[in-house]
Amino acid sequence: MKALLPSLSLISLLAWQAPAVAAPTSDCQGEQINKTFASGAVWDFCWTIKDQEGLVLSQVHYQAPGTAYRRVLGEASLSQIEAEFDDGAVDPKFVTTQLGLGGANMLTQTAQNCPSGELHAWDGRNVLCANTYKAGYLYKYNTQRQTERFEISTSSQIGPRNYTLRWSFYENGTIEPAIGLSGILPAVGESAAQYGWPVGANGEIGSSFMDHYLWRLDFDLDDTANDDVVEEISSVPTPDRLRKTKTLEVLNTETARSLNPETKRFWRIRDSATRNVAGNFISYELVPSNYDQSRANSRNEAWLQNDVYFTAYHACERFAANNPTTSCGENMAQFVSGQNINRQDVVLWYKQNNHYLPRSEDSNRMGTRWSSFKLLPRDWNAQNPF
């Protein structure tokens, strides 16, 4: 019987001692939050509110019980939302750069909005809710262990739409960014039937629409920001589908990629120096979601034609689309200019689409629809630390 996991020597595990938890570096932007689980696992990061992106995280660190305290992300944000209607009657809107998720559009949180949670203030207003939730099985075999996740969230009101930005930090090192869309239907009785769905008692057409969510993730693994490596990992089936061959390719220059379920492709960002005690490079992998809408109904814009972009860090490359062009490109597609990203400071841009065809149930309040994905530690530890 083939073993599923290698074993580690007890001596090597006992010899390993984790350093004490340290505070984030002076690069911290804004306020600091530390979450220590009962197991000893730690998440530590800084947060700020910007007028355009809203919630922005920086200096995100994680420590599993009994292992090293390391940085995962230098900075992370939902850098752009582009909203468009199916009938094309209104020009697409860049929610982040034209309207803004922060400023007056960010809602003040109350105890009712944040039940059993902790409110955090920015510029004198409680805008961030932090809470800890049960998250089900951490693992289950002959024994089982339940786990938790730490969640922070903000809420922004953009006209008829409400956007809840949520980051979940799991006890096992997983990060789950998410954006939730709710509010009221933005257009009713304004489109022909082929561009929507009859809603409400009088059967007026609720216009269907598309949101493009564009995430910016500046990976700065461990102590050094500019020594990370991007690897594309594929499992390609043979013609008879009886075998799947793994291939691994280092992406040396700035690259745009699309999801491809036929080859079961994913990507990881690894450090080029730091290894776990088993000798493997520490890394985080992107776990995409909602492939069925990865390029659904996308317009013929270059930056909408791929799902994932890897670029070298430039401070002026802040917004994935409608980026100010004073000293850099206008969108992600233009950021890909052939620069070296091997052992560099790497930024991952990830695009998600949410096509919303209204239902009758949305006619008074839209049911919240979440778009999320995960960043999963790979070889961050030598074995399951729990």
Side-chain angles (χ1 to χ4, degrees):
M1 181 177 178
K2 190 178 294 185
L4 295 179
L5 291 172
S7 61
L8 293 172
S9 74
L10 181 61
I11 295 176
S12 67
L13 289 174
L14 292 176
W16 171 251
Q17 292 185 2
V21 172
T25 70
S26 59
D27 293 332
C28 176
Q29 300 176 28
E31 303 297 326
Q32 182 177 342
I33 288 180
N34 176 283
K35 169 62 181 179
T36 301
F37 294 91
S39 64
V42 175
W43 280 105
D44 197 284
F45 56 87
C46 301
W47 68 278
T48 187
I49 302 296
K50 296 186 177 181
D51 287 348
Q52 293 168 304
E53 300 102 313
L55 179 63
V56 178
L57 306 185
S58 63
Q59 298 304 314
V60 179
H61 291 68
Y62 172 66
Q63 181 176 26
T67 64
Y69 174 83
R70 303 189 187 105
R71 181 172 54 187
V72 182
L73 295 162
E75 191 173 70
S77 65
L78 177 64
S79 76
Q80 189 58 276
I81 302 173
E82 196 221 36
E84 61 185 71
F85 286 99
D86 284 6
D87 62 10
V90 178
D91 290 337
K93 295 295 183 184
F94 292 99
V95 172
T96 303
T97 50
Q98 292 179 332
L99 303 171
L101 292 172
N105 290 331
M106 179 156 288
L107 300 180
T108 300
Q109 303 277 9
T110 66
Q112 184 178 6
N113 305 135
C114 185
S116 303
E118 181 180 1
L119 294 170
H120 293 261
W122 185 262
D123 282 345
R125 289 196 299 137
N126 289 327
V127 297
L128 184 143
C129 173
N131 220 327
T132 301
Y133 296 98
K134 300 296 183 182
Y137 289 121
L138 180 65
Y139 59 77
K140 182 175 176 63
Y141 185 52
N142 292 329
T143 60
Q144 61 88 24
R145 188 184 187 284
Q146 299 291 314
T147 189
E148 294 181 320
R149 62 182 174 89
F150 178 64
E151 177 185 297
I152 62 171
S153 64
T154 60
S155 182
S156 302
Q157 193 75 30
I158 311 293
R161 306 187 203 197
N162 181 276
Y163 291 104
T164 298
L165 186 55
R166 182 182 75 192
W167 290 80
S168 296
F169 300 90
Y170 289 77
E171 189 178 8
N172 67 354
T174 299
I175 304 174
E176 185 176 18
I179 180 74
L181 170 66
S182 189
I184 61 175
L185 291 173
V188 177
E190 300 179 22
S191 297
Q194 64 266 36
Y195 299 118
W197 196 267
V199 297
N202 59 6
E204 287 186 301
I205 298 300
S207 300
S208 51
F209 58 92
M210 170 77 84
D211 274 352
H212 303 287
Y213 303 128
L214 308 164
W215 300 85
R216 179 182 180 271
L217 305 166
D218 173 20
F219 279 89
D220 293 340
L221 299 178
D222 206 21
D223 294 330
T224 305
N226 60 351
D227 68 343
D228 293 338
V229 175
V230 179
E231 293 178 343
E232 181 174 273
I233 302 170
S234 302
S235 295
V236 182
T238 56
D240 60 9
R241 305 277 175 168
L242 296 179
R243 295 182 179 85
K244 298 180 183 67
T245 302
K246 183 200 75 177
T247 63
L248 188 151
E249 177 187 359
V250 173
L251 303 182
N252 290 305
T253 58
E254 294 177 319
T255 303
R257 287 287 195 264
S258 291
L259 303 177
N260 187 347
E262 183 66 19
T263 59
K264 298 175 176 60
R265 176 186 297 166
F266 72 96
W267 300 267
R268 74 163 180 161
I269 293 87
R270 69 164 175 85
D271 200 81
S272 63
T274 305
R275 302 171 185 258
N276 64 26
V277 297
N280 298 315
F281 289 111
I282 64 168
S283 71
Y284 262 74
E285 68 176 71
L286 169 67
V287 183
S289 63
N290 295 337
Y291 175 78
D292 59 325
Q293 293 190 18
S294 70
R295 287 192 287 171
N297 297 349
S298 294
R299 293 177 294 107
N300 191 27
E301 297 279 354
W303 56 272
L304 289 174
Q305 301 312 303
N306 289 280
D307 303 301
V308 185
Y309 296 76
F310 298 98
T311 65
Y313 173 85
H314 292 284
C316 67
E317 295 177 351
R318 178 177 165 189
F319 303 103
N322 200 37
N323 191 61
T325 57
T326 303
S327 55
C328 57
E330 194 273 339
N331 58 60
M332 296 181 297
Q334 295 179 12
F335 300 163
V336 177
S337 57
Q339 285 188 267
N340 176 41
I341 58 170
N342 190 14
R343 296 179 174 85
Q344 299 296 320
D345 188 353
V346 175
V347 178
L348 186 163
W349 307 82
Y350 178 49
K351 178 179 68 68
Q352 293 182 295
N353 297 321
N354 174 20
H355 184 244
Y356 206 109
L357 181 62
R359 307 169 298 152
S360 294
E361 289 84 351
D362 294 319
S363 58
N364 53 351
R365 292 290 187 276
M366 287 195 294
T368 304
R369 180 181 291 187
W370 290 99
S371 298
S372 67
F373 63 99
K374 289 185 178 180
L375 300 171
L376 194 68
R378 176 176 286 271
D379 299 334
W380 200 258
N381 310 291
Q383 68 173 21
N384 189 331
F386 299 93

